[in-house]
Amino acid sequence: MAYTATKEQKLLYNLYLTDPKNHLRYALGNHCPHPLLIIGLNPSTANQYVRDQTLTRVEEFARRRARGIIMCNLYPLRCTDPDRLPKRADPALVKDNTRCIVSLCQQYAVCEIWAAWGDPIEKRPYLSTCLHRLYEALSPLRINWLKCGSTTRRGHPRHPSRLAYRHRFSPLNMPRYLSYT
């Protein structure tokens, strides 16, 4: 792990799966039974000591549903702007990311996944491919998929930063959603 905390920093998350250079983040959250697993688009700046805007909002929403969270993404490369994601996916990263998410779901008995990527899923064609592969890999686990609030005008589940706290969780019909993406 490349990040070193200062004495003043408090550990916020005890589950932090990254690469040695901290360019990737596969998962961030807390060990607990039946956490709410959230799938975003790609990780930004949050780590085990520091929340970013997305994690702050995710935690507020997740408190309604579960005792803990695990934040994962369709593509594990850290990038603060989805427009700067590579034009092509690294197949090894996609495979590792999918394997990691499936393993976490099995290990922590995840029964619900919050789809939270928004319209930026359209920025790179491989993001939709990553989602299709992930859904297929998770299908034997019979996990319930959720969205929070209504879908976007383009039909995607909303990103947490685009939600008012009054919004509630509801089922997301993934087979139907995937038939359009």
Side-chain angles (χ1 to χ4, degrees), residues 7-173:
K7 284 185 175 183
E8 301 85 42
Q9 289 183 306
K10 178 183 172 192
L11 184 68
L12 299 172
Y13 305 104
N14 57 21
L15 175 64
Y16 185 63
L17 305 176
T18 186
D19 67 315
K21 293 185 178 181
N22 208 23
H23 292 154
L24 308 172
R25 190 184 78 211
Y26 294 101
L28 177 63
N30 287 305
H31 299 279
C32 74
H34 308 291
L36 178 61
L37 192 126
I38 301 96
I39 303 288
L41 191 70
N42 65 289
S44 185
T45 59
N47 61 43
Q48 72 271 41
Y49 299 102
V50 180
R51 291 179 186 92
D52 59 13
Q53 179 186 354
T54 299
L55 260 294
T56 300
R57 295 190 62 82
V58 159
E59 285 183 355
E60 286 297 317
F61 282 103
R63 283 189 189 120
R64 305 172 190 173
R65 198 114 195 144
R67 290 178 34 211
I69 64 162
I70 299 175
M71 182 79 202
C72 297
N73 292 279
L74 294 175
Y75 198 67
L77 181 67
R78 285 183 182 277
C79 187
T80 56
D81 180 357
D83 287 325
R84 296 180 131 190
L85 285 170
K87 300 290 184 199
R88 295 176 191 230
D90 179 332
L93 288 183
V94 173
K95 187 177 181 180
D96 289 347
N97 192 52
T98 301
R99 190 177 326 139
C100 178
I101 294 170
V102 170
S103 176
L104 289 167
C105 287
Q106 292 169 331
Q107 182 178 354
Y108 294 104
V110 170
C111 48
E112 294 182 320
I113 293 177
W114 174 13
W117 46 79
D119 289 340
I121 193 172
E122 296 178 5
K123 293 195 178 270
R124 299 289 184 262
Y126 63 80
L127 294 169
S128 178
T129 302
C130 291
L131 176 59
H132 282 264
R133 288 184 181 159
L134 179 61
Y135 179 75
E136 184 178 309
L138 289 169
S139 62
L141 303 180
R142 300 182 186 265
I143 293 173
N144 295 318
W145 287 76
L146 305 170
K147 61 184 172 82
C148 192
S150 61
T151 56
T152 67
R153 289 183 187 156
R154 293 178 162 167
H156 302 294
R158 291 187 185 277
H159 187 276
S161 67
R162 305 290 185 250
L163 288 167
Y165 285 120
R166 65 179 160 73
H167 290 294
R168 299 286 176 241
F169 288 101
S170 60
L172 175 62
N173 184 332

